[in-house]
């Protein structure tokens, strides 16, 4: 077990082990469906007069897709801070962890942007149609090859 994941996530209750394949499948379905819903919503917002809000929904699409994959590994993420740790240290996908962190940082910058009415439509569209879609496609590739893996014993 990775020390950082254990200390920062499992020991603090920010990640919990799922007890069964059925529980993991239910979590997977919820996260996977939510990811698709958030992506569809973000794309709809790109066509609206409030496109900047799509950044937040794009991040949530990424977060739920990552958590769908993690549920198939037998874990449920309770804190977004543990998602990149899991991606990087357990799945050895530092690239996905960086993409997740970049999306989180962009979401934060838009959440606290002082003038949301200013249009950054090109940046927002690129984020949704390139970064978010690429992340989801990469996770989907991993999901296709993954089989149920029960949690590792402590």
């Amino acid at each position: 077990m990775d020390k950082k994941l254990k200390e920062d996530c499992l020991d603090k209750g920010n990640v919990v082990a799922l007890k069964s394949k059925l529980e993991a499948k239910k979590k997977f379905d919820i996260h996977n469906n939510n990811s698709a819903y958030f992506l569809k919503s973000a794309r709809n917002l790109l066509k609206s007069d409030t496109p900047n809000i799509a950044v937040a929904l794009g991040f949530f699409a990424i977060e739920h897709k990552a958590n769908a994959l993690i549920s198939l590994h037998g874990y449920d993420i309770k804190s977004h801070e543990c998602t990149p740790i899991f991606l990087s240290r357990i799945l050895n996908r530092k690239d996905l962890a960086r993409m997740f962190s970049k999306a989180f940082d962009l979401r934060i910058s838009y959440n606290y942007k002082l003038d949301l009415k200013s249009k950054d439509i090109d940046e927002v569209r690129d984020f949704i149609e390139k970064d978010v879609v690429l992340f989801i496609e990469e996770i989907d590739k991993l999901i296709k090859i993954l089989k149920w893996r029960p949690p590792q014993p402590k």
Side-chain angles (χ1 to χ4, degrees):
M1 169 76 50
D2 179 81
K3 183 179 177 182
K4 184 164 180 64
L5 180 69
K6 183 177 181 329
E7 291 175 357
D8 292 354
C9 299
L10 287 166
D11 291 349
K12 293 180 180 178
N14 293 326
V15 173
V16 296
L18 299 171
K19 294 177 177 33
S20 70
K21 189 174 183 174
L22 179 61
E23 186 180 10
K25 175 71 170 112
K26 285 180 181 178
K27 288 287 182 182
F28 169 82
D29 288 341
I30 289 167
H31 286 301
N32 201 47
N33 290 336
N34 285 350
S35 176
Y37 187 90
F38 281 123
L39 178 58
K40 182 177 181 179
S41 298
R43 284 179 162 155
N44 287 338
L45 279 170
L46 289 176
K47 302 174 211 164
S48 76
D49 61 348
T50 57
N52 289 339
I53 298 302
V55 170
L57 298 182
F59 168 74
F60 295 136
I62 284 175
E63 182 179 35
H64 279 275
K65 186 56 95 165
N67 290 343
L69 173 64
I70 291 167
S71 70
L72 294 179
H73 282 267
Y75 293 95
D76 186 30
I77 302 288
K78 302 292 185 187
S79 169
H80 69 271
E81 295 169 350
C82 294
T83 301
I85 293 170
F86 199 97
L87 292 171
S88 176
R89 295 173 178 260
I90 303 303
L91 299 181
N92 296 315
R93 291 297 304 262
K94 289 181 174 42
D95 60 324
L96 294 176
R98 281 191 298 274
M99 290 171 76
F100 181 93
S101 295
K102 179 183 171 192
F104 177 79
D105 291 344
L106 186 63
R107 179 190 72 100
I108 292 299
S109 74
Y110 271 78
N111 276 20
Y112 297 102
K113 190 173 182 163
L114 296 177
D115 183 11
L116 278 172
K117 285 189 174 187
S118 68
K119 304 253 181 182
D120 296 323
I121 189 65
D122 291 335
E123 180 182 39
V124 174
R125 184 176 287 112
D126 284 350
F127 172 66
I128 299 302
E129 297 302 340
K130 293 179 182 172
D131 298 345
V132 174
V133 169
L134 176 63
F135 184 92
I136 288 172
E137 288 172 350
E138 287 300 309
I139 295 291
D140 280 339
K141 289 176 192 175
L142 295 173
I143 288 169
K144 284 181 183 177
I145 62 171
L146 185 65
K147 295 185 176 162
W148 163 252
R149 297 183 183 178
Q152 300 171 353
K154 291 185 179 181

